[in-house]
Amino acid sequence: MSVWDDLVGQEKVSAVLDAAARDADALVTAAAADEPLPEASKMTHAWLFTGPPGAGRNQAARAFAAALQCVSPDRALGGTPGCGFCDGCHTALLGTHADVTTVAAVGAEILVRDMRDTVRKSFTAPANGRWQIILVEDAERLNEKSANAVLKAVEEPAPRTVWLLCAPSIEDVLPTIRSRCRHLNLRTPSVEAVTDMLVRRDGIEPEVAASVARATQGHVDRARRLATDPAARERRAAVLKLPLRLDEVGACLRAAQELVDAAAEDAKQLAEEMDGKETEELRAALGAAQGGRMPRGTAGVMKDLEDMQKRRRTRTQRDSLDVALGDLTAFYRDVLALQLGTRVAIANADAEDALERLARASGPESTLRRIEAIAACREALDRNVAPLLAVEAMTMALRAG
């Protein structure tokens, strides 16, 4: 199974990356990586992957990283890099390869202190003699200082270093950085492509796969989660019932509280899974005995870990809220489609009764105002408005129409 099989509906992007990986492999094989890249080479030192949520920009970057680190013996026989089975591919895809460093935002921003060691590592030689790869999953969250640190590293990269930046759109990245990157734009996969992937790769029943692919409008990760996680399906069903409950002010406030509480519970579950393990691993690394006191001088390190975990919980809660708001937006989009006399590409066919009821109870103008209210809530959350206040304002606007 090739690493490109994970890129759903991205045939053009896969072809470009495959050609670049072939050239990169030829350079390494010929021991010519210390020389300037030939003008005809399709490989370059910095790449920018953009695309809407769910298009798979992070997966594309990681697949490319795996292809660059591929050590399959079949390459000498004419095989292409990115076999998906060798040690280089396997560890790169899992995120454990020594020469593939991943940076992801744990809070609202990627701070310069989060990038300092990574930038320093980018100037070192790869341990395995192939490529030193830096994958930044949330390049749009680089703040001014961390973006400037990345810019300096991208301007004058080490000979064997490759930067892979991922962002929703090219405008989300500093012009000085994006001008030094080769840009690849991923498109939203079709519902048919996502359905085929779920059936073929995950063994999902065709009817279920088609339903979740349609409900998520081509968002690969969310479709897979809906298909495999009953709790995720229950949360989505609860969100789709919310528009019918907003008949009085008290109901609006209760609905807002429930949305925020559900997002907080998601963040708590993630924290329980990750925080304890991270804390114990750090304690062991710092030399603390099992259940004993921490050595002197380590309080600052532990405090840094706690701060990081707190930022991650906040982001997880807001990401969970954003998923719910996306479901609400899709719901009202379907209502608007019915009001305009079309049933083409209805995403929430499983909630058709509720869609019909709301479509009859209001006009297209009211539905558009409700969609704008959801967008305003998302913008407020991006500006760090308290989640409960932002969601309460939204539910009141949804009631008013």
Side-chain angles (χ1 to χ4, degrees):
M1 181 184 67
S2 167
V3 296
W4 313 120
D5 289 346
D6 284 334
L7 306 190
V8 182
Q10 310 296 342
E11 290 77 12
K12 291 183 178 179
V13 170
S14 298
V16 171
L17 294 177
D18 180 65
R22 289 169 181 264
D23 284 356
D25 184 63
L27 290 168
V28 172
T29 304
D34 290 333
E35 301 175 3
L37 294 177
E39 291 185 7
S41 175
K42 297 178 176 62
M43 182 59 187
T44 188
H45 72 283
W47 297 75
L48 174 59
F49 297 82
T50 64
R57 52 182 184 266
N58 291 344
Q59 290 88 338
R62 189 163 294 281
F64 187 39
L68 293 178
Q69 303 293 16
C70 182
V71 292
S72 169
D74 292 342
R75 293 174 298 116
L77 303 175
T80 61
C83 65
F85 295 103
C86 70
D87 184 65
C89 287
H90 184 65
T91 53
L93 292 173
L94 287 179
T96 59
H97 196 289
D99 292 328
V100 180
T101 301
T102 302
V103 179
V106 294
E109 296 180 330
I110 298 178
L111 306 178
V112 68
R113 69 186 183 192
D114 299 327
M115 291 300 305
R116 192 172 291 119
D117 290 341
T118 301
V119 169
R120 189 178 299 117
K121 185 178 181 181
S122 74
F123 290 104
T124 63
N128 70 352
R130 294 189 67 80
W131 300 94
Q132 185 74 262
I133 299 173
I134 311 297
L135 197 168
V136 183
E137 291 188 346
D138 306 289
E140 77 278 9
R141 295 180 184 264
L142 291 166
N143 63 20
E144 182 179 358
K145 292 183 179 179
S146 57
N148 286 333
V150 171
L151 174 60
K152 293 178 181 178
V154 172
E155 281 181 327
E156 300 177 359
R160 294 281 187 89
T161 295
V162 181
W163 284 83
L164 308 178
L165 308 179
C166 304
S169 70
I170 194 170
E171 288 78 15
D172 290 319
V173 181
L174 283 178
T176 47
I177 292 179
R178 68 192 191 218
S179 66
R180 290 164 173 80
C181 299
R182 184 165 296 174
H183 178 220
L184 291 177
N185 186 50
L186 284 74
R187 61 188 180 90
T188 299
S190 67
V191 170
E192 292 75 19
V194 176
T195 300
D196 177 70
M197 181 273 297
L198 291 174
V199 173
R200 178 170 44 86
R201 297 288 303 278
D202 298 288
I204 306 299
E205 290 295 327
E207 290 185 3
V208 175
S211 175
V212 297
R214 185 170 57 249
T216 57
Q217 294 294 282
H219 193 301
V220 178
D221 291 337
R222 289 203 55 221
R224 179 180 280 119
R225 187 176 182 187
L226 278 181
T228 59
D229 185 358
R233 292 195 293 272
E234 290 176 6
R235 283 193 293 271
R236 175 177 172 271
V239 169
L240 297 185
K241 292 177 182 177
L242 183 144
L244 298 179
R245 298 170 48 198
L246 306 179
D247 53 356
E248 59 182 12
V249 173
C252 292
L253 299 181
R254 286 192 296 273
Q257 186 68 64
E258 290 172 10
L259 276 180
V260 173
D261 288 346
E265 184 63 26
D266 270 357
K268 180 181 177 182
Q269 289 179 2
L270 178 64
E272 290 176 349
E273 295 172 3
M274 301 182 66
D275 291 2
K277 181 180 178 182
E278 288 175 344
T279 300
E280 288 305 314
E281 289 177 350
L282 182 58
R283 285 174 60 87
L286 294 174
Q290 183 72 25
R293 297 179 61 183
M294 293 293 297
R296 289 185 178 181
T298 60
V301 179
M302 294 301 296
K303 181 65 166 57
D304 288 342
L305 176 63
E306 291 170 2
D307 289 344
M308 183 275 290
Q309 291 172 342
K310 182 178 179 180
R311 285 190 288 142
R312 184 171 62 201
R313 283 193 295 271
T314 299
R315 185 190 173 189
T316 302
Q317 180 179 2
R318 300 200 174 187
D319 286 349
S320 180
L321 269 177
D322 193 66
V323 169
L325 297 179
D327 288 335
L328 274 178
T329 301
F331 181 91
Y332 282 110
R333 184 200 68 85
D334 287 348
V335 171
L336 182 63
L338 293 178
Q339 289 170 333
L340 296 177
T342 178
R343 292 179 175 271
V344 176
I346 294 295
N348 300 287
D350 52 341
E352 189 168 355
D353 289 344
L355 295 173
E356 293 278 7
R357 179 176 168 184
L358 283 180
R360 290 192 300 267
S362 62
E365 297 83 1
S366 294
T367 303
L368 285 172
R369 285 195 293 270
R370 287 171 172 140
I371 293 174
E372 290 170 356
I374 300 171
C377 181
R378 285 175 135 166
E379 292 175 5
L381 292 172
D382 284 341
R383 296 194 304 270
N384 291 324
V385 173
L388 185 57
L389 290 177
V391 178
E392 284 179 345
M394 179 196 72
T395 54
M396 293 294 288
L398 294 179
R399 174 177 177 269

